[in-house]
Amino acid sequence: MLLREKQFPIFTPSTNSTHESNSITRYLTLALKFLSGLFLGFIGANLVLFFGRSVLQFGTKFGLFTTGLATLHNQDGVAAEICPQTDALYPQNAKNTGTWTQFGDLLETDTFKTLAIDKLSGLIQIPSESYDNMPPPGEDPRWETMGQVHDYLAVAFPLIHSTLSLAKVNTYGLIYEWTGSDTSLKPYLLAAHQDVVPVNLETLDTWTYPPYSGFYDEKTGLIWGRGASDDKASLAGIMLTLETLIEKGWTPTRTIVLAFGFDEEASGIHGAKTLGIALEEIYGRDGLAFIVDEGGGFKDVYGTIFATPGVAEKGHADIMVEVTSPGGHSSIPPVHTTIGYLASIITELENNPFPVELARNTVPHDTLLCYASHGRDIPRSLKHAIFKSIRSDAALRKVDDMFVLKDRWYSSLVGTTQAVDMVSGGVKANALPESAYAVVNHRINTLSSVNETAAHDTKTITTVARAFNLTLKAFGEDVLTASAYAPFEPKGHIELSQAFNHELEPAPRTPTWGKDSEPWEFLSGTIKATYEAHRELKGEENQSVVVSPGMSTGNTDTKYYWNLTRHIFRYNHKNGAYGGDIATGVHTVNENIPLDHYIEMIRFFSTLILNADEAEGF
């Protein structure tokens, strides 16, 4: 299993967009439990009383009882069935328990906090910006900042570089391996990215501290700078955790793999895309136990702290809409120029958005079920509607009206989105533009596909093409030809295509229920243990965090890692409950991270690593 130091070439991975679900197994299991309870109920009055509650719970789940009985959904037992929780998972064996306790004590010291600040601050000071559509490494000097990251990591974490093996992929992608003593166990992967979103130079005077200062403000407890939150805190946290474990003499039973891309903010074309193929070459298809990458965190929702590890991702498509028509002098204009036609197309697209409808067996619906099950302050009417939506289509639409459509973030999560983000046309004020184009960005509903998205745009734009006598070609297929307007000549042409050929199907869903859910339960228990330990809440169940399936509106480097495992978690234990007006500034000015949140992330990684060392179910 030892990863030998080597250079990998550029790879072109294949993708597998097959959606996997445990829903049928889940419902059959629950149904069998219900029928068993119903049968045993006839044995005697005492057994009736004993099984009655279970019968009611399962009956409610499948809509086997009346609407009146459905109001009993607020019982704790029902919540446990709909959004089950696992116990906090702490290291158990002597080797890891002592290390975990010592590590936790170390996190509270000023010495370690100063060390953690220094490691992250130094990383932030490197302006490792990535840009859209950059040529491969070696062809653009802007990549060279990634080399500075490598040099810094080697100096800042010397024990890692003398203990772990290292391979570089496509120059700047990094794969570290710490080989475990039991190579029969599947390795697991911790991921992060080295790059950051570029800083707009016009915003420099609006930053509280310079964007690449890595400044730590003792008064506010904030570490400032581009990448502080996205994603250098994760990278530094992972590395400092391992460096500390090596220093303490700890060694792993299960092999640990690290993968750090270098252009996640530019779709990972040169970084994670090549890393994914290299990792599959080393460990094989489905060769990893699980993957943890950046993503969800925890926050207060309806009076309860919810952690929402990402277990799915939406698809992605950038669609180019190009209009061409004869040019000429602007003193003799037609009724509509190409820009006018394009404006009409954009208007038609925005007037005909994709439907936003909550659906069962999706992550957004499962998240709402957890909110309804465990949210202390959720409005009663919304809670009942969410529970009834398990079996009622009318209730699903009611939840849409009451919550989804009123929350822009959640409606974006549920449906396929569209945003016209780029537009261009014309070269001179007195010349009719011969061409104009726009790029429409789509984030695709997890139940939809790239083809469905393209078909929707084609259908919508066909209406405009017919109205203005324009021919239309969509994704290589002629939709409206000149013959459609004979004997008249068409006035122009519309061409639809994939803008950058980076389209992506929605990700396969990570199992969160049933026999294949051991990694999910492991992660859930680790999250609870981390949260409780950081607040000294051990044993105080009512104050712990509730773990729910979650997802974000965007994508991560994991889109290139689907072949490596079914168990991908986009989660780095980021605290989203600031309780004030301070914003993290992700992708904008004043990016920062509170020191306490960063320290808790390190606690999470240490707990996860020690727990994974003992895990036997995967």
Side-chain angles (χ1 to χ4, degrees):
M1 186 66 69
L2 180 63
L3 184 154
R4 298 178 180 176
E5 188 163 347
K6 59 190 292 188
Q7 289 282 340
F8 286 90
I10 299 175
F11 297 94
T12 304
S14 60
T15 58
N16 182 357
S17 61
T18 303
H19 289 265
E20 307 207 35
S21 171
N22 288 321
S23 301
I24 295 175
T25 302
R26 181 178 185 177
Y27 289 151
L28 285 175
T29 302
L30 289 171
L32 288 172
K33 289 181 179 179
F34 166 72
L35 291 174
S36 298
L38 190 62
F39 173 76
L40 292 172
F42 288 100
I43 294 177
N46 290 332
L47 290 180
V48 168
L49 292 174
F50 181 81
F51 283 99
R53 189 178 185 185
S54 296
V55 171
L56 182 59
Q57 290 169 9
F58 293 124
T60 310
K61 182 77 175 181
F62 289 97
L64 299 177
F65 289 89
T66 65
T67 302
L69 288 176
T71 61
L72 295 175
H73 271 113
N74 61 350
Q75 297 182 32
D76 292 340
V78 176
E81 287 293 340
I82 292 175
C83 182
Q85 296 295 296
T86 189
D87 294 332
L89 180 64
Y90 299 90
Q92 298 296 316
N93 67 36
K95 166 193 169 186
N96 295 323
T97 299
T99 301
W100 185 78
T101 300
Q102 293 173 21
F103 205 119
D105 292 341
L106 185 63
L107 291 175
E108 303 298 327
T109 65
D110 290 339
T111 300
F112 186 87
K113 291 177 181 178
T114 299
L115 178 66
I117 293 168
D118 290 344
K119 300 302 184 186
L120 177 54
S121 176
L123 197 55
I124 291 171
Q125 291 173 40
I126 303 170
S128 51
E129 299 177 339
S130 63
Y131 299 81
D132 291 339
N133 302 316
M134 287 178 68
E139 299 180 18
D140 191 321
R142 290 176 294 179
W143 287 122
E144 293 172 7
T145 57
M146 304 304 165
Q148 297 175 33
V149 172
H150 294 189
D151 293 341
Y152 174 78
L153 294 177
V155 172
F157 305 103
L159 296 179
I160 286 178
H161 287 83
S162 63
T163 304
L164 279 65
S165 58
L166 170 64
K168 295 187 178 182
V169 181
N170 199 13
T171 307
Y172 297 118
L174 299 177
I175 301 176
Y176 292 89
E177 183 190 290
W178 194 357
T179 308
S181 59
D182 187 349
T183 55
S184 68
L185 297 173
K186 279 188 176 182
Y188 63 93
L189 172 67
L190 304 179
H193 60 88
Q194 308 166 59
D195 61 310
V196 299
V197 169
V199 173
N200 184 345
L201 297 180
E202 295 179 359
T203 68
L204 287 178
D205 60 351
T206 64
W207 284 74
T208 302
Y209 299 99
Y212 292 112
S213 65
F215 180 78
Y216 173 63
D217 186 341
E218 292 185 10
K219 293 182 179 179
T220 62
L222 300 177
I223 305 169
W224 294 85
R226 172 63 82 231
S229 183
D230 182 16
D231 177 42
K232 289 186 174 180
S234 289
L235 198 160
I238 292 169
M239 295 293 277
L240 184 52
T241 298
L242 292 181
E243 186 82 0
T244 304
L245 289 173
I246 295 170
E247 186 177 18
K248 289 184 172 298
W250 184 87
T251 56
T253 301
R254 184 189 296 267
T255 294
I256 304 169
V257 183
L258 312 179
F260 302 145
F262 58 90
D263 61 344
E264 191 274 343
E265 301 294 0
S267 295
I269 300 302
H270 302 293
K273 186 175 184 178
T274 58
L275 283 169
I277 294 302
L279 288 164
E280 187 173 355
E281 179 181 293
I282 297 166
Y283 301 105
R285 191 180 185 91
D286 197 31
L288 299 179
F290 63 86
I291 295 173
V292 173
D293 194 6
E294 64 170 332
F298 59 93
K299 63 180 181 179
D300 187 321
V301 182
Y302 296 125
T304 298
I305 301 298
F306 285 92
T308 52
V311 295
E313 285 187 344
K314 302 182 75 174
H316 176 104
D318 291 309
I319 292 180
M320 172 85 75
V321 182
E322 185 173 14
V323 183
T324 55
S325 65
H329 200 285
S330 63
S331 62
I332 313 173
V335 176
H336 301 287
T337 67
T338 54
I339 294 176
Y341 291 136
L342 183 61
S344 295
I345 291 170
I346 292 172
T347 300
E348 189 70 12
L349 285 170
E350 293 188 341
N351 287 339
N352 293 274
F354 290 74
V356 176
E357 293 185 339
L358 192 65
R360 299 181 192 89
N361 302 322
T362 62
V363 173
H365 188 241
D366 285 354
T367 303
L368 287 179
L369 287 172
C370 284
Y371 289 169
S373 298
H374 300 284
R376 296 186 183 94
D377 301 330
I378 187 171
R380 188 174 182 83
S381 58
L382 177 59
K383 180 176 184 174
H384 285 178
I386 292 171
F387 280 135
K388 290 173 69 176
S389 71
I390 294 172
R391 61 184 176 83
S392 168
D393 291 343
L396 274 175
R397 303 291 72 80
K398 185 175 182 180
V399 175
D400 285 337
D401 294 337
M402 294 178 67
F403 177 77
V404 175
L405 297 177
K406 293 181 179 180
D407 187 300
R408 189 174 69 167
W409 184 86
Y410 218 86
S411 63
S412 297
L413 192 68
V414 170
T416 295
T417 60
Q418 58 182 20
V420 181
D421 291 332
M422 297 175 66
V423 64
S424 180
V427 294
K428 202 170 185 300
N430 63 351
L432 298 175
E434 295 171 330
S435 66
Y437 75 85
V439 175
V440 187
N441 174 264
H442 295 287
R443 301 304 173 112
I444 302 170
N445 177 353
T446 56
L447 296 181
S448 186
S449 65
V450 171
N451 285 342
E452 283 188 3
T453 303
H456 178 277
D457 283 1
T458 301
K459 181 179 179 181
T460 302
I461 293 172
T462 297
T463 302
V464 179
R466 290 188 185 279
F468 291 113
N469 286 14
L470 303 173
T471 56
L472 172 62
K473 188 172 187 176
F475 311 101
E477 299 291 332
D478 289 322
V479 179
L480 292 173
T481 63
S483 61
Y485 306 111
F488 305 101
E489 289 292 321
K491 296 181 179 180
H493 178 68
I494 304 172
E495 184 99 14
L496 303 185
S497 62
Q498 297 291 346
F500 309 114
N501 294 317
H502 297 166
E503 62 272 14
L504 178 74
E505 298 292 350
R509 178 171 173 173
T510 296
T512 57
W513 196 93
K515 66 178 182 178
D516 294 327
S517 65
E518 289 90 350
W520 165 258
E521 293 169 4
F522 154 82
L523 181 73
S524 298
T526 298
I527 292 170
K528 286 178 176 285
T530 302
Y531 183 88
E532 293 175 8
H534 199 70
R535 292 158 184 79
E536 299 182 350
L537 299 175
K538 189 172 182 179
E540 300 180 36
E541 184 175 346
N542 291 334
Q543 298 184 45
S544 189
V545 62
V546 174
V547 183
S548 164
M551 61 180 282
S552 71
T553 56
N555 298 108
T556 64
D557 275 345
T558 62
K559 61 179 173 281
Y560 298 112
Y561 300 161
W562 296 351
N563 287 349
L564 299 174
T565 179
R566 296 180 63 206
H567 306 283
I568 300 177
F569 305 109
R570 297 92 175 163
Y571 184 85
N572 50 9
H573 202 71
K574 194 173 293 181
N575 187 337
Y578 276 75
D581 297 326
I582 300 173
T584 61
V586 173
H587 289 203
T588 185
V589 300
N590 288 328
E591 184 172 354
N592 64 79
I593 188 170
L595 172 59
D596 183 65
H597 297 187
Y598 170 44
I599 293 296
E600 187 169 2
M601 291 172 66
I602 296 172
R603 189 188 297 273
F604 166 73
F605 287 122
S606 64
T607 307
L608 182 142
I609 289 168
L610 295 174
N611 277 339
D613 204 58
E614 301 177 4
E616 298 178 351
F618 49 84

